[in-house]
């Protein structure tokens, strides 16, 4: 290399960097900048591998009954119409939808700070006055335009946009949570209403049966095979059944009011479809894998988006410690004419200017540090809320599985009890004399 001619060495030197290249590099570095604050990382949460209260056959199935749409789960035409009406008219769902609109508008407002802001104004005048005792006319107009662009060197505006976008997604997941809750509430109240209808019918049948029992016991007293105490006990059972009817009717009316409000209407009666005993029995309820719960519940997604927004707000608070640079520019002019002593005078004037403004915090009396601590505390609160939402989701599933399994066992035992009572009634019917088997109903 040292043996090369001097001219060759000069020819191979790197070309000098032009002023234009330097300006481009500086402008690129100014516009790109950096982003302070922590980047979001999904927190690691330990979740159970199995559901508490679920049997082994439930744990083994991966396809969940919850994956089915509600119109396939609830196969009652009246219930389906109630749910459709609620999805259209429920006020809580309408509020959740409007919050999405507001959050989308707020995202547009926040994101607009990343772009130049340009304002324009103009003024036109037309007047007459006297100059030195002689009339004069004037007509002129002024116009001006101002532009301001804040350089996002430390990512304050980008972090604010990130937080606003996360808030928008949070409101969207809140709407989905409201839809799931609304469908569940309407269906739950509807089936509770059918259960109360069935219970009321059973109670009325019990009253009729117990009236026959009182008459039968009275006949037994007349024939000397029962005592007055037996009649009083049978009458007590009849009085208890009669007292249950108004209470059941009260519960039915209030439940109809609840369904009406969920449907976005004033309280009124609710139509019924199939009776409770005629409703199709759903299949076994396999909950699916534990990890799939995190990808299905909208309330968990909502809590995570709140966490993302709070995490971005830390960057906004940290960027406030650094200088803020704004580029400004303005331009304008004036044009018009004046008539003095029958002489026409025209004028035209234009001006423009540009500059940069730098503001840096020097003494804020702890305001910036307080904002940063508040943002960090808010982020920790949302992290706790996120973990709490996951914990609550697993509790909901566990409670549902325990209730499903135990209520199933209760139903099996009740069916056995009903069969035993039917056998006892048949045995008593055969044991009674023929003339006592058919008694008139009613008082």
């Amino acid at each position: 290399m040292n043996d090369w001619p001097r001219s060759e060495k000069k020819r191979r030197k790197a070309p000098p960097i032009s002023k234009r290249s330097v300006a481009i590099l500086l402008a690129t570095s100014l516009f790109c900048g950096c982003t302070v604050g922590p980047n979001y990382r999904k927190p690691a949460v330990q979740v159970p591998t199995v559901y508490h209260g679920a049997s082994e056959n439930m744990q083994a199935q991966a396809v969940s009954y919850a994956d089915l749409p509600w119109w396939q789960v609830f196969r009652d035409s009246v219930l389906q119409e109630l749910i459709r009406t609620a999805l259209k008219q429920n006020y809580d769902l309408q509020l959740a939808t409007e919050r999405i609109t507001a959050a989308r508008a707020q995202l547009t407002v926040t994101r607009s700070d990343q772009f130049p802001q340009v304002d324009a104004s103009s003024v036109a005048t037309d007047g007459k006055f006297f100059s030195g005792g002689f009339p004069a006319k004037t007509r002129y107009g002024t116009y001006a335009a101002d532009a301001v662009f804040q350089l996002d060197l430390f990512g304050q505006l980008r972090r604010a946009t990130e937080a606003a976008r996360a808030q928008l997604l949070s409101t969207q997941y809140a709407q989905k949570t409201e839809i799931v809750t609304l469908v569940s509430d309407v269906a739950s109240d509807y089936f509770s209403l059918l259960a109360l209808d069935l219970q009321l019918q059973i109670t009325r049948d019990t009253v009729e049966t117990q009236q026959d029992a009182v008459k039968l016991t009275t006949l037994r007293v007349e024939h000397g095979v029962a005592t007055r105490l037996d009649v009083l006990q049978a009458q007590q059972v009849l009085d208890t059944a009669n007292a249950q009817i108004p209470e059941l009717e009260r519960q039915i009316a209030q439940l109809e009011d609840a369904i009406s409000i969920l449907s976005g209407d004033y309280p009124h009666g609710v139509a019924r479809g199939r009776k409770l005993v005629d409703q199709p029995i759903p299949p076994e309820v396999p909950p699916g894998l534990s990890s799939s719960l995190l990808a299905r519940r909208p309330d968990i997604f909502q809590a995570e988006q709140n966490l993302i927004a709070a995490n971005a707000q830390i960057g906004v608070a940290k960027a406030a410690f650094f200088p803020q640079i704004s580029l400004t520019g303005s331009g304008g002019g004036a044009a018009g004419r004046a008539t003095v002593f029958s002489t026409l005078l025209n004028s035209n004037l234009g001006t423009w200017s540009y500059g940069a403004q730098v503001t840096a915090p020097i003494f804020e009396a702890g305001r910036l540090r307080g904002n940063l601590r508040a943002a960090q505390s808010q982020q920790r609160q949302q992290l706790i809320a996120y973990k709490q939402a996951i914990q609550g989701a697993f509790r909901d599933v566990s409670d549902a599985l325990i209730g499903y399994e135990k209520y199933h066992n209760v139903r099996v035992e009740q069916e056995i009890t009903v069969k035993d009572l039917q056998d006892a009634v048949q045995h008593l019917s055969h044991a009674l004399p023929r003339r006592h088997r058919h008694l008139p109903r009613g008082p």
Side-chain angles (χ1 to χ4, degrees):
M1 183 71 70
N2 294 331
D3 296 334
W4 286 2
R6 186 179 298 275
S7 61
E8 181 71 10
K9 291 183 180 180
K10 291 182 179 180
R11 188 176 62 83
R12 290 180 174 270
K13 285 184 178 179
I17 301 176
S18 63
K19 294 181 178 180
R20 182 180 179 182
S21 301
V22 173
I24 293 175
L25 290 175
L26 289 176
T28 304
S29 62
L30 286 175
F31 281 103
C32 294
C34 61
T35 304
V36 298
N39 294 324
Y40 175 74
R41 290 183 176 84
K42 192 179 183 68
V45 180
Q46 297 293 332
V47 297
T49 57
V50 295
Y51 292 103
H52 175 240
S55 57
E56 295 182 358
N57 60 339
M58 288 185 176
Q59 298 288 347
Q61 302 184 45
V63 180
S64 175
Y65 187 60
D67 290 329
L68 297 176
W70 61 264
W71 53 86
Q72 293 183 12
V73 175
F74 308 120
R75 289 174 288 177
D76 187 317
S77 59
V78 175
L79 175 57
Q80 290 177 357
E81 185 61 28
L82 287 173
I83 294 176
R84 291 190 186 96
T85 304
L87 293 176
K88 293 178 182 178
Q89 301 180 181
N90 182 264
Y91 287 118
D92 291 334
L93 185 55
Q94 293 180 24
L95 287 174
T97 303
E98 285 301 321
R99 292 189 187 102
I100 294 178
T101 304
R104 186 177 290 111
Q106 184 60 45
L107 174 60
T108 302
V109 173
T110 305
R111 188 172 178 268
S112 67
D113 293 335
Q114 298 180 247
F115 300 92
Q117 309 295 317
V118 181
D119 297 325
S121 62
S122 63
V123 177
T125 60
D126 188 0
K128 178 186 294 186
F129 62 95
F130 289 90
S131 177
F134 295 94
K137 295 181 179 180
T138 180
R139 177 179 297 175
Y140 67 93
T142 61
Y143 52 91
D146 299 319
V148 179
F149 178 50
Q150 182 176 347
L151 300 180
D152 194 19
L153 298 180
F154 303 100
Q156 185 180 35
L157 302 180
R158 281 170 285 167
R159 289 298 191 189
T161 302
E162 180 184 352
R165 186 177 293 109
Q167 288 294 342
L168 172 60
L169 293 176
S170 175
T171 55
Q172 290 176 345
Y173 286 122
Q175 183 203 34
K176 293 181 179 179
T177 302
E178 186 65 33
I179 290 175
V180 173
T181 304
L182 179 60
V183 172
S184 175
D185 289 345
V186 173
S188 178
D189 289 350
Y190 180 77
F191 287 120
S192 298
L193 185 62
L194 295 183
L196 288 175
D197 289 341
L198 180 59
Q199 189 174 354
L200 179 61
Q201 183 61 41
I202 293 174
T203 304
R204 288 172 175 170
D205 294 341
T206 301
V207 169
E208 294 181 1
T209 303
Q210 197 60 32
Q211 288 174 348
D212 294 341
V214 171
K215 292 181 180 181
L216 177 61
T217 306
T218 303
L219 290 175
R220 296 182 63 191
V221 171
E222 294 176 357
H223 290 78
V225 295
T227 63
R228 181 62 181 171
L229 180 60
D230 296 332
V231 176
L232 294 177
Q233 290 176 346
Q235 185 64 41
Q236 183 180 5
V237 174
L238 176 60
D239 295 339
T240 302
N242 281 321
Q244 290 178 351
I245 292 179
E247 175 63 20
L248 291 174
E249 291 174 344
R250 178 191 66 82
Q251 296 179 19
I252 289 174
Q254 292 181 349
L255 204 52
E256 287 178 331
D257 292 347
I259 295 176
S260 301
I261 296 299
L262 288 175
S263 301
D265 201 352
Y266 291 100
H268 59 78
V270 176
R272 272 74 155 174
R274 298 179 179 180
K275 295 183 178 180
L276 186 63
V277 293
D278 298 331
Q279 293 288 334
I281 300 177
E284 295 292 331
V285 185
L289 302 178
S290 299
S291 59
S292 66
L293 180 66
L294 305 182
R296 182 181 296 137
R297 302 255 312 200
D299 56 340
I300 296 179
F301 284 117
Q302 178 186 357
E304 184 179 8
Q305 292 301 323
N306 290 335
L307 175 60
I308 294 175
N311 188 79
Q313 288 295 340
I314 296 178
V316 175
K318 284 187 175 181
F321 286 88
F322 298 92
Q324 307 294 326
I325 301 177
S326 299
L327 302 179
T328 61
S330 61
R337 63 182 183 178
T339 303
V340 181
F341 300 113
S342 301
T343 302
L344 182 63
L345 303 176
N346 293 323
S347 63
N348 193 354
L349 177 65
T351 61
W352 60 271
S353 65
Y354 63 89
Q357 180 181 358
V358 180
T359 58
I362 296 178
F363 177 73
E364 297 287 345
R367 181 178 64 86
L368 298 181
R369 292 189 180 276
N371 289 336
L372 178 59
R373 292 193 186 99
Q376 292 172 339
S377 175
Q378 187 67 25
Q379 190 267 349
R380 290 191 294 268
Q381 293 178 41
Q382 294 300 332
L383 178 59
I384 295 172
Y386 174 68
K387 295 180 179 180
Q388 188 178 28
I390 295 176
Q391 190 180 67
F394 276 90
R395 176 187 175 181
D396 292 342
V397 175
S398 178
D399 290 346
L401 293 175
I402 292 174
Y404 175 82
E405 187 172 3
K406 300 307 178 182
Y407 282 135
H408 178 73
N409 295 337
V410 170
R411 180 173 179 176
V412 172
E413 295 298 329
Q414 287 178 344
E415 289 177 352
I416 295 175
T417 303
V418 169
K419 188 177 182 305
D420 293 340
L421 290 175
Q422 289 176 346
D423 295 339
V425 170
Q426 292 179 358
H427 178 72
L428 180 61
S429 177
H430 289 295
L432 288 175
R434 183 177 299 273
R435 59 177 178 170
H436 292 160
R437 290 181 187 176
H438 304 286
L439 295 176
R441 295 183 179 272

mmCIF file of all heavy atoms in Angstrom, residues 20-33:
data_model
loop_
_atom_site.group_PDB
_atom_site.id
_atom_site.type_symbol
_atom_site.label_atom_id
_atom_site.label_comp_id
_atom_site.label_asym_id
_atom_site.label_seq_id
_atom_site.Cartn_x
_atom_site.Cartn_y
_atom_site.Cartn_z
ATOM 1 N N ARG A 20 -25.763 19.525 1.978
ATOM 2 C CA ARG A 20 -27.110 18.986 1.818
ATOM 3 C C ARG A 20 -27.250 17.647 2.538
ATOM 4 O O ARG A 20 -28.264 17.372 3.181
ATOM 5 C CB ARG A 20 -27.436 18.833 0.340
ATOM 6 C CG ARG A 20 -28.830 18.335 0.062
ATOM 7 C CD ARG A 20 -29.080 18.219 -1.420
ATOM 8 N NE ARG A 20 -30.414 17.713 -1.683
ATOM 9 C CZ ARG A 20 -30.886 17.470 -2.904
ATOM 10 N NH1 ARG A 20 -30.108 17.703 -3.966
ATOM 11 N NH2 ARG A 20 -32.108 17.020 -3.070
ATOM 12 N N SER A 21 -26.213 16.813 2.419
ATOM 13 C CA SER A 21 -26.250 15.514 3.105
ATOM 14 C C SER A 21 -26.300 15.690 4.608
ATOM 15 O O SER A 21 -27.007 14.982 5.329
ATOM 16 C CB SER A 21 -25.038 14.681 2.699
ATOM 17 O OG SER A 21 -25.027 14.469 1.303
ATOM 18 N N VAL A 22 -25.523 16.667 5.111
ATOM 19 C CA VAL A 22 -25.532 16.921 6.557
ATOM 20 C C VAL A 22 -26.924 17.371 7.006
ATOM 21 O O VAL A 22 -27.453 16.944 8.037
ATOM 22 C CB VAL A 22 -24.469 17.978 6.911
ATOM 23 C CG1 VAL A 22 -24.591 18.377 8.384
ATOM 24 C CG2 VAL A 22 -23.088 17.440 6.617
ATOM 25 N N ALA A 23 -27.544 18.234 6.207
ATOM 26 C CA ALA A 23 -28.892 18.706 6.567
ATOM 27 C C ALA A 23 -29.894 17.566 6.575
ATOM 28 O O ALA A 23 -30.760 17.485 7.452
ATOM 29 C CB ALA A 23 -29.319 19.799 5.589
ATOM 30 N N ILE A 24 -29.776 16.651 5.588
ATOM 31 C CA ILE A 24 -30.700 15.504 5.537
ATOM 32 C C ILE A 24 -30.521 14.605 6.751
ATOM 33 O O ILE A 24 -31.478 14.131 7.367
ATOM 34 C CB ILE A 24 -30.503 14.735 4.231
ATOM 35 C CG1 ILE A 24 -30.945 15.595 3.036
ATOM 36 C CG2 ILE A 24 -31.277 13.424 4.255
ATOM 37 C CD1 ILE A 24 -30.675 14.951 1.704
ATOM 38 N N LEU A 25 -29.250 14.369 7.118
ATOM 39 C CA LEU A 25 -28.982 13.509 8.287
ATOM 40 C C LEU A 25 -29.518 14.139 9.562
ATOM 41 O O LEU A 25 -30.118 13.470 10.407
ATOM 42 C CB LEU A 25 -27.479 13.248 8.401
ATOM 43 C CG LEU A 25 -26.858 12.355 7.326
ATOM 44 C CD1 LEU A 25 -25.340 12.287 7.503
ATOM 45 C CD2 LEU A 25 -27.446 10.952 7.393
ATOM 46 N N LEU A 26 -29.297 15.461 9.714
ATOM 47 C CA LEU A 26 -29.797 16.130 10.908
ATOM 48 C C LEU A 26 -31.317 16.112 10.963
ATOM 49 O O LEU A 26 -31.920 15.866 12.016
ATOM 50 C CB LEU A 26 -29.287 17.571 10.944
ATOM 51 C CG LEU A 26 -27.785 17.763 11.224
ATOM 52 C CD1 LEU A 26 -27.416 19.228 11.129
ATOM 53 C CD2 LEU A 26 -27.408 17.201 12.586
ATOM 54 N N ALA A 27 -31.947 16.360 9.814
ATOM 55 C CA ALA A 27 -33.408 16.345 9.784
ATOM 56 C C ALA A 27 -33.957 14.966 10.098
ATOM 57 O O ALA A 27 -34.952 14.818 10.827
ATOM 58 C CB ALA A 27 -33.906 16.806 8.413
ATOM 59 N N THR A 28 -33.307 13.913 9.577
ATOM 60 C CA THR A 28 -33.752 12.550 9.859
ATOM 61 C C THR A 28 -33.649 12.227 11.333
ATOM 62 O O THR A 28 -34.551 11.636 11.946
ATOM 63 C CB THR A 28 -32.946 11.546 9.037
ATOM 64 O OG1 THR A 28 -33.060 11.881 7.663
ATOM 65 C CG2 THR A 28 -33.442 10.132 9.260
ATOM 66 N N SER A 29 -32.530 12.619 11.935
ATOM 67 C CA SER A 29 -32.362 12.342 13.358
ATOM 68 C C SER A 29 -33.364 13.113 14.207
ATOM 69 O O SER A 29 -33.851 12.629 15.230
ATOM 70 C CB SER A 29 -30.933 12.689 13.793
ATOM 71 O OG SER A 29 -30.691 14.076 13.594
ATOM 72 N N LEU A 30 -33.689 14.356 13.762
ATOM 73 C CA LEU A 30 -34.651 15.140 14.528
ATOM 74 C C LEU A 30 -36.048 14.551 14.459
ATOM 75 O O LEU A 30 -36.766 14.454 15.442
ATOM 76 C CB LEU A 30 -34.663 16.579 14.018
ATOM 77 C CG LEU A 30 -33.464 17.460 14.406
ATOM 78 C CD1 LEU A 30 -33.569 18.811 13.723
ATOM 79 C CD2 LEU A 30 -33.344 17.626 15.901
ATOM 80 N N PHE A 31 -36.449 14.137 13.252
ATOM 81 C CA PHE A 31 -37.817 13.637 13.066
ATOM 82 C C PHE A 31 -37.991 12.247 13.665
ATOM 83 O O PHE A 31 -39.055 11.907 14.148
ATOM 84 C CB PHE A 31 -38.176 13.618 11.582
ATOM 85 C CG PHE A 31 -38.538 14.971 11.063
ATOM 86 C CD1 PHE A 31 -37.645 15.703 10.308
ATOM 87 C CD2 PHE A 31 -39.761 15.540 11.350
ATOM 88 C CE1 PHE A 31 -37.973 16.962 9.837
ATOM 89 C CE2 PHE A 31 -40.108 16.798 10.877
ATOM 90 C CZ PHE A 31 -39.204 17.516 10.125
ATOM 91 N N CYS A 32 -36.950 11.423 13.573
ATOM 92 C CA CYS A 32 -37.088 10.054 14.108
ATOM 93 C C CYS A 32 -37.031 10.063 15.623
ATOM 94 O O CYS A 32 -37.921 9.577 16.291
ATOM 95 C CB CYS A 32 -36.014 9.149 13.528
ATOM 96 S SG CYS A 32 -36.199 8.888 11.751
ATOM 97 N N GLY A 33 -35.982 10.653 16.177
ATOM 98 C CA GLY A 33 -35.869 10.746 17.608
ATOM 99 C C GLY A 33 -35.823 9.391 18.284
ATOM 100 O O GLY A 33 -35.540 8.358 17.671
#
